[in-house]
Amino acid sequence: MKRIISCIIGLLAAFCLLTGCKNQYPYYDMPIEPIQTGSPGMSGLTIFTIDELSDLEEYCDVIVRGKVTIGTAKVKTSQRGNWKEDKWNYYTQSALTISEVYQGDLKAGDKITLSEPWFVEKNEDGEDILHIVGSYMPSDPNQEYVFCLVYHSGSYDPLADTYAPLTSGNCRYPVDNTTAHAAKLKKLDLPDPPKSYNTIYEEIQEKYLS
């Protein structure tokens, strides 16, 4: 009996290894509807310009390196504000495990709640549609990122006690951009990221990742 149980456990482990069942990421194969907005309102600031890394360091509460560690089925979607017709007011919350801190009062090993500007909603035909702000795809649990985040602390803020990107365009950078998922991302017909994205990415690689 013990030998049979051991064989079953071995087969299940092999199946998970082959199918990648640890961290499934279905979003690249899901129909996508980008939500265009000039003011995502994630930071609570009305006017700011992000042209270089020093701007992010000025406006963001924390700059950290880490991975999202939840399964897709456990994501909670929240609404920011009372404008139900404005889809850009919706966020999905997940757990982010910190591996390194470049700015702020967090520490390696901390787990924080991350609010990201995307959500999944069924259309009239019952098909899951991924709604994203600009070109911000859901964070890949298999990918480590540098996140530039603001902390929401207002008692009337639906995002209270969570961290969110300052903007949807240039506040998350993959540590390793040569993965298969990154290659798939390039094939998606998404809005172009801000012009400053590549410039800031180079600064982050030089200052934080070298």
PDB file of all heavy atoms in Angstrom, residues 13 20 23 34 81 92 113 116 120 129 149 153 167 171 177 179-180 183 197 205 210:
ATOM      1  N   ALA A  13       3.335  14.737  -8.672  1.00  0.00           N
ATOM      2  CA  ALA A  13       4.423  15.708  -8.704  1.00  0.00           C
ATOM      3  C   ALA A  13       4.935  15.908 -10.125  1.00  0.00           C
ATOM      4  O   ALA A  13       5.210  17.028 -10.561  1.00  0.00           O
ATOM      5  CB  ALA A  13       5.565  15.252  -7.779  1.00  0.00           C
ATOM      6  N   GLY A  20       3.025  22.884 -15.067  1.00  0.00           N
ATOM      7  CA  GLY A  20       3.202  24.184 -14.434  1.00  0.00           C
ATOM      8  C   GLY A  20       2.026  24.563 -13.561  1.00  0.00           C
ATOM      9  O   GLY A  20       1.626  25.715 -13.516  1.00  0.00           O
ATOM     10  N   ASN A  23       1.877  27.822 -10.610  1.00  0.00           N
ATOM     11  CA  ASN A  23       1.500  29.212 -10.839  1.00  0.00           C
ATOM     12  C   ASN A  23       0.953  29.362 -12.253  1.00  0.00           C
ATOM     13  O   ASN A  23       1.696  29.635 -13.191  1.00  0.00           O
ATOM     14  CB  ASN A  23       2.715  30.139 -10.665  1.00  0.00           C
ATOM     15  CG  ASN A  23       3.070  30.359  -9.209  1.00  0.00           C
ATOM     16  OD1 ASN A  23       2.207  30.617  -8.392  1.00  0.00           O
ATOM     17  ND2 ASN A  23       4.340  30.235  -8.891  1.00  0.00           N
ATOM     18  N   PRO A  34      -8.370  47.078 -23.241  1.00  0.00           N
ATOM     19  CA  PRO A  34      -7.653  48.175 -22.569  1.00  0.00           C
ATOM     20  C   PRO A  34      -8.606  49.324 -22.244  1.00  0.00           C
ATOM     21  O   PRO A  34      -9.495  49.653 -23.021  1.00  0.00           O
ATOM     22  CB  PRO A  34      -6.602  48.606 -23.598  1.00  0.00           C
ATOM     23  CG  PRO A  34      -6.492  47.454 -24.545  1.00  0.00           C
ATOM     24  CD  PRO A  34      -7.872  46.853 -24.599  1.00  0.00           C
ATOM     25  N   GLY A  81     -13.928  54.668  -5.512  1.00  0.00           N
ATOM     26  CA  GLY A  81     -14.856  55.717  -5.881  1.00  0.00           C
ATOM     27  C   GLY A  81     -16.253  55.159  -6.094  1.00  0.00           C
ATOM     28  O   GLY A  81     -16.509  53.979  -5.911  1.00  0.00           O
ATOM     29  N   THR A  92      -7.625  44.963  -8.796  1.00  0.00           N
ATOM     30  CA  THR A  92      -7.565  43.607  -8.279  1.00  0.00           C
ATOM     31  C   THR A  92      -6.469  43.552  -7.226  1.00  0.00           C
ATOM     32  O   THR A  92      -5.363  44.044  -7.451  1.00  0.00           O
ATOM     33  CB  THR A  92      -7.294  42.598  -9.404  1.00  0.00           C
ATOM     34  OG1 THR A  92      -8.425  42.578 -10.279  1.00  0.00           O
ATOM     35  CG2 THR A  92      -7.077  41.203  -8.849  1.00  0.00           C
ATOM     36  N   THR A 113      -0.415  43.790   0.679  1.00  0.00           N
ATOM     37  CA  THR A 113      -1.523  43.698  -0.274  1.00  0.00           C
ATOM     38  C   THR A 113      -1.282  44.677  -1.399  1.00  0.00           C
ATOM     39  O   THR A 113      -1.105  45.875  -1.172  1.00  0.00           O
ATOM     40  CB  THR A 113      -2.867  44.005   0.405  1.00  0.00           C
ATOM     41  OG1 THR A 113      -3.074  43.078   1.469  1.00  0.00           O
ATOM     42  CG2 THR A 113      -4.011  43.872  -0.592  1.00  0.00           C
ATOM     43  N   GLU A 116      -3.796  46.415  -8.045  1.00  0.00           N
ATOM     44  CA  GLU A 116      -3.373  46.693  -9.419  1.00  0.00           C
ATOM     45  C   GLU A 116      -4.570  47.068 -10.292  1.00  0.00           C
ATOM     46  O   GLU A 116      -5.680  46.567 -10.094  1.00  0.00           O
ATOM     47  CB  GLU A 116      -2.665  45.476 -10.011  1.00  0.00           C
ATOM     48  CG  GLU A 116      -1.361  45.137  -9.305  1.00  0.00           C
ATOM     49  CD  GLU A 116      -0.637  43.991  -9.997  1.00  0.00           C
ATOM     50  OE1 GLU A 116      -1.128  42.848  -9.931  1.00  0.00           O
ATOM     51  OE2 GLU A 116       0.408  44.241 -10.597  1.00  0.00           O
ATOM     52  N   VAL A 120     -11.111  41.136 -14.064  1.00  0.00           N
ATOM     53  CA  VAL A 120     -11.736  40.207 -15.014  1.00  0.00           C
ATOM     54  C   VAL A 120     -13.237  40.251 -14.805  1.00  0.00           C
ATOM     55  O   VAL A 120     -13.719  40.188 -13.673  1.00  0.00           O
ATOM     56  CB  VAL A 120     -11.214  38.773 -14.821  1.00  0.00           C
ATOM     57  CG1 VAL A 120     -11.978  37.794 -15.720  1.00  0.00           C
ATOM     58  CG2 VAL A 120      -9.715  38.710 -15.109  1.00  0.00           C
ATOM     59  N   ILE A 129     -13.422  38.446 -19.703  1.00  0.00           N
ATOM     60  CA  ILE A 129     -12.710  39.507 -20.388  1.00  0.00           C
ATOM     61  C   ILE A 129     -11.766  40.177 -19.398  1.00  0.00           C
ATOM     62  O   ILE A 129     -12.159  40.528 -18.281  1.00  0.00           O
ATOM     63  CB  ILE A 129     -13.670  40.563 -20.966  1.00  0.00           C
ATOM     64  CG1 ILE A 129     -14.715  39.899 -21.885  1.00  0.00           C
ATOM     65  CG2 ILE A 129     -12.894  41.646 -21.716  1.00  0.00           C
ATOM     66  CD1 ILE A 129     -14.134  39.251 -23.113  1.00  0.00           C
ATOM     67  N   LEU A 149       5.571  52.042  -5.605  1.00  0.00           N
ATOM     68  CA  LEU A 149       4.217  52.014  -5.060  1.00  0.00           C
ATOM     69  C   LEU A 149       3.956  53.165  -4.093  1.00  0.00           C
ATOM     70  O   LEU A 149       4.876  53.720  -3.492  1.00  0.00           O
ATOM     71  CB  LEU A 149       3.971  50.689  -4.332  1.00  0.00           C
ATOM     72  CG  LEU A 149       4.261  49.404  -5.116  1.00  0.00           C
ATOM     73  CD1 LEU A 149       4.169  48.199  -4.198  1.00  0.00           C
ATOM     74  CD2 LEU A 149       3.313  49.262  -6.295  1.00  0.00           C
ATOM     75  N   SER A 153      -3.747  55.140   2.900  1.00  0.00           N
ATOM     76  CA  SER A 153      -4.011  55.082   4.340  1.00  0.00           C
ATOM     77  C   SER A 153      -5.309  55.769   4.748  1.00  0.00           C
ATOM     78  O   SER A 153      -5.690  55.721   5.911  1.00  0.00           O
ATOM     79  CB  SER A 153      -2.852  55.735   5.107  1.00  0.00           C
ATOM     80  OG  SER A 153      -2.681  57.083   4.697  1.00  0.00           O
ATOM     81  N   THR A 167       1.288  55.163 -11.073  1.00  0.00           N
ATOM     82  CA  THR A 167       0.564  55.293 -12.341  1.00  0.00           C
ATOM     83  C   THR A 167       0.459  53.902 -12.958  1.00  0.00           C
ATOM     84  O   THR A 167       1.089  52.949 -12.502  1.00  0.00           O
ATOM     85  CB  THR A 167       1.279  56.222 -13.337  1.00  0.00           C
ATOM     86  OG1 THR A 167       2.438  55.558 -13.853  1.00  0.00           O
ATOM     87  CG2 THR A 167       1.700  57.528 -12.681  1.00  0.00           C
ATOM     88  N   CYS A 171       5.502  52.126 -13.431  1.00  0.00           N
ATOM     89  CA  CYS A 171       5.782  51.865 -12.013  1.00  0.00           C
ATOM     90  C   CYS A 171       6.036  50.401 -11.703  1.00  0.00           C
ATOM     91  O   CYS A 171       6.042  50.001 -10.547  1.00  0.00           O
ATOM     92  CB  CYS A 171       4.628  52.384 -11.156  1.00  0.00           C
ATOM     93  SG  CYS A 171       4.600  54.183 -11.054  1.00  0.00           S
ATOM     94  N   ASN A 177      13.649  40.322 -18.118  1.00  0.00           N
ATOM     95  CA  ASN A 177      12.698  40.569 -19.206  1.00  0.00           C
ATOM     96  C   ASN A 177      12.909  39.636 -20.395  1.00  0.00           C
ATOM     97  O   ASN A 177      12.480  39.930 -21.506  1.00  0.00           O
ATOM     98  CB  ASN A 177      12.785  42.027 -19.681  1.00  0.00           C
ATOM     99  CG  ASN A 177      14.134  42.362 -20.306  1.00  0.00           C
ATOM    100  OD1 ASN A 177      15.060  41.569 -20.246  1.00  0.00           O
ATOM    101  ND2 ASN A 177      14.243  43.535 -20.898  1.00  0.00           N
ATOM    102  N   THR A 179      11.956  36.330 -20.221  1.00  0.00           N
ATOM    103  CA  THR A 179      11.120  35.152 -20.011  1.00  0.00           C
ATOM    104  C   THR A 179      10.154  34.953 -21.172  1.00  0.00           C
ATOM    105  O   THR A 179       9.926  35.841 -21.987  1.00  0.00           O
ATOM    106  CB  THR A 179      10.309  35.300 -18.714  1.00  0.00           C
ATOM    107  OG1 THR A 179       9.433  36.425 -18.843  1.00  0.00           O
ATOM    108  CG2 THR A 179      11.223  35.511 -17.521  1.00  0.00           C
ATOM    109  N   ALA A 180       9.553  33.772 -21.211  1.00  0.00           N
ATOM    110  CA  ALA A 180       8.583  33.463 -22.259  1.00  0.00           C
ATOM    111  C   ALA A 180       7.377  34.386 -22.174  1.00  0.00           C
ATOM    112  O   ALA A 180       6.821  34.795 -23.195  1.00  0.00           O
ATOM    113  CB  ALA A 180       8.147  32.002 -22.158  1.00  0.00           C
ATOM    114  N   ALA A 183       8.040  37.661 -23.812  1.00  0.00           N
ATOM    115  CA  ALA A 183       7.969  37.544 -25.268  1.00  0.00           C
ATOM    116  C   ALA A 183       6.525  37.562 -25.743  1.00  0.00           C
ATOM    117  O   ALA A 183       6.199  38.166 -26.764  1.00  0.00           O
ATOM    118  CB  ALA A 183       8.666  36.267 -25.717  1.00  0.00           C
ATOM    119  N   TYR A 197       9.312  55.123 -20.052  1.00  0.00           N
ATOM    120  CA  TYR A 197       9.422  53.780 -19.472  1.00  0.00           C
ATOM    121  C   TYR A 197      10.824  53.198 -19.666  1.00  0.00           C
ATOM    122  O   TYR A 197      11.452  52.740 -18.711  1.00  0.00           O
ATOM    123  CB  TYR A 197       8.372  52.850 -20.080  1.00  0.00           C
ATOM    124  CG  TYR A 197       8.403  51.441 -19.510  1.00  0.00           C
ATOM    125  CD1 TYR A 197       7.650  51.114 -18.389  1.00  0.00           C
ATOM    126  CD2 TYR A 197       9.196  50.447 -20.079  1.00  0.00           C
ATOM    127  CE1 TYR A 197       7.680  49.835 -17.841  1.00  0.00           C
ATOM    128  CE2 TYR A 197       9.235  49.171 -19.540  1.00  0.00           C
ATOM    129  CZ  TYR A 197       8.476  48.871 -18.429  1.00  0.00           C
ATOM    130  OH  TYR A 197       8.527  47.610 -17.890  1.00  0.00           O
ATOM    131  N   GLN A 205      17.832  49.437 -13.704  1.00  0.00           N
ATOM    132  CA  GLN A 205      18.793  48.354 -13.877  1.00  0.00           C
ATOM    133  C   GLN A 205      20.177  48.763 -13.386  1.00  0.00           C
ATOM    134  O   GLN A 205      20.897  47.976 -12.758  1.00  0.00           O
ATOM    135  CB  GLN A 205      18.831  47.932 -15.344  1.00  0.00           C
ATOM    136  CG  GLN A 205      17.588  47.183 -15.806  1.00  0.00           C
ATOM    137  CD  GLN A 205      17.603  46.871 -17.283  1.00  0.00           C
ATOM    138  OE1 GLN A 205      18.001  47.707 -18.095  1.00  0.00           O
ATOM    139  NE2 GLN A 205      17.209  45.664 -17.636  1.00  0.00           N
ATOM    140  N   SER A 210      22.107  46.182 -10.793  1.00  0.00           N
ATOM    141  CA  SER A 210      23.457  45.866 -11.266  1.00  0.00           C
ATOM    142  C   SER A 210      24.301  45.229 -10.165  1.00  0.00           C
ATOM    143  O   SER A 210      23.983  45.333  -8.980  1.00  0.00           O
ATOM    144  CB  SER A 210      24.141  47.138 -11.776  1.00  0.00           C
ATOM    145  OG  SER A 210      24.245  48.091 -10.747  1.00  0.00           O
TER     146      SER A 210
END
